Amino acid sequence: VDGCPCAGDAGIDDEGLVRQLALSRGGLSPRRAETVRLLRRHNYTLPGLRGQTVQARVLRVTADSVSVDPGFLGVSELPRAEVGLAQLYSPDGLGLDGRVSADDVRVGDTVCVRIEALYTPFGDMQVEAVRPDQVQAQSMVWRRLTDAMASRAQVQGRVLNACTGGYAVGIAGIVGLLPYGRFTMDTVRRVGSLQPFVVE
């Protein structure tokens, strides 16, 4: 049940839990109250969720956080820096098409999260984004880069430093070469800043 902070708390009886939720939400419909009672009585599997990896839907994305719904005890927050394309779920395991930036996370995406704690003082689950294994992540990045190269689409990257023949550019964990004669001085002055590049 969304927002149910104490569904597994043995110290509160069913009616006490319903009253607590009704107060915190400004009221509960009779149907929702009955659902809370049934969940309380029959859902003994919640303690077994700790440490499990589940899929959660992205509800909101801000500069600082990503709100996700793991489907159990309401909405949980993840730090924005921890959620990228590598954590998103795709049925084929190769990633989502049409994304040009590793930070392109959108409302409605599905992210893989690990449940760290069932209940927090804020009434939600504590979850963390799951990192995929290295082989899967590299496969996904290479697929994106080859697709971008074939379509001449721009990808986001950062100028890292000067090197033999030009400048090193980091794109989604892959280092490429930006040769002399293929850049403007404005591009190389912005070392470390995210900017668009075309893969050739």
Side-chain angles (χ1 to χ4, degrees), residues 14-35:
D14 294 345
E15 294 309 312
L17 180 60
V18 169
R19 281 192 303 276
Q20 181 180 355
L21 284 172
L23 287 173
S24 69
R25 292 177 159 254
L28 276 181
S29 69
R31 185 174 181 190
R32 181 153 302 228
E34 185 59 26
T35 301

Side-chain angles (χ1 to χ4, degrees), residues 155-159 186-188 190-197:
V155 295
Q156 297 294 312
R158 289 179 167 82
V159 175
D186 183 50
T187 301
V188 296
R190 295 172 41 205
V191 171
S193 298
L194 201 58
Q195 50 189 316
F197 293 95

Side-chain angles (χ1 to χ4, degrees), residues 169-184:
V169 175
I171 300 172
I174 305 294
V175 178
L177 175 68
L178 178 61
Y180 287 120
R182 301 299 293 250
F183 58 83
T184 65

Side-chain angles (χ1 to χ4, degrees), residues 99-188:
R99 308 285 176 101
V100 295
S101 168
D103 297 326
D104 191 3
V105 177
R106 303 173 187 169
V107 171
D109 285 344
T110 302
V111 62
C112 294
V113 297
R114 180 177 302 110
I115 298 172
E116 295 298 318
L118 291 176
Y119 312 105
T120 70
F122 304 106
D124 62 353
M125 291 181 124
Q126 180 181 346
V127 297
E128 72 174 18
V130 176
R131 303 260 179 221
D133 65 32
Q134 194 64 26
V135 173
Q136 180 186 2
Q138 283 182 337
S139 169
M140 195 178 347
V141 168
W142 276 114
R143 178 172 175 231
R144 277 194 218 316
L145 290 177
T146 56
D147 290 349
M149 185 173 70
S151 66
R152 307 256 325 137
Q154 291 184 339
V155 295
Q156 297 294 312
R158 289 179 167 82
V159 175
L160 302 175
N161 56 280
C163 65
T164 304
Y167 285 86
V169 175
I171 300 172
I174 305 294
V175 178
L177 175 68
L178 178 61
Y180 287 120
R182 301 299 293 250
F183 58 83
T184 65
M185 289 310 292
D186 183 50
T187 301
V188 296

Side-chain angles (χ1 to χ4, degrees), residues 54-103:
V54 298
Q55 296 171 5
R57 186 193 318 209
V58 175
L59 301 177
R60 186 171 56 115
V61 179
T62 67
D64 299 325
S65 67
V66 176
S67 299
V68 297
D69 180 7
F72 298 100
L73 299 173
V75 177
S76 297
E77 298 284 326
L78 293 167
R80 180 65 186 93
E82 291 183 11
V83 182
L85 290 182
Q87 286 75 33
L88 296 184
Y89 169 80
S90 63
D92 61 5
L94 297 175
L96 303 170
D97 292 327
R99 308 285 176 101
V100 295
S101 168
D103 297 326

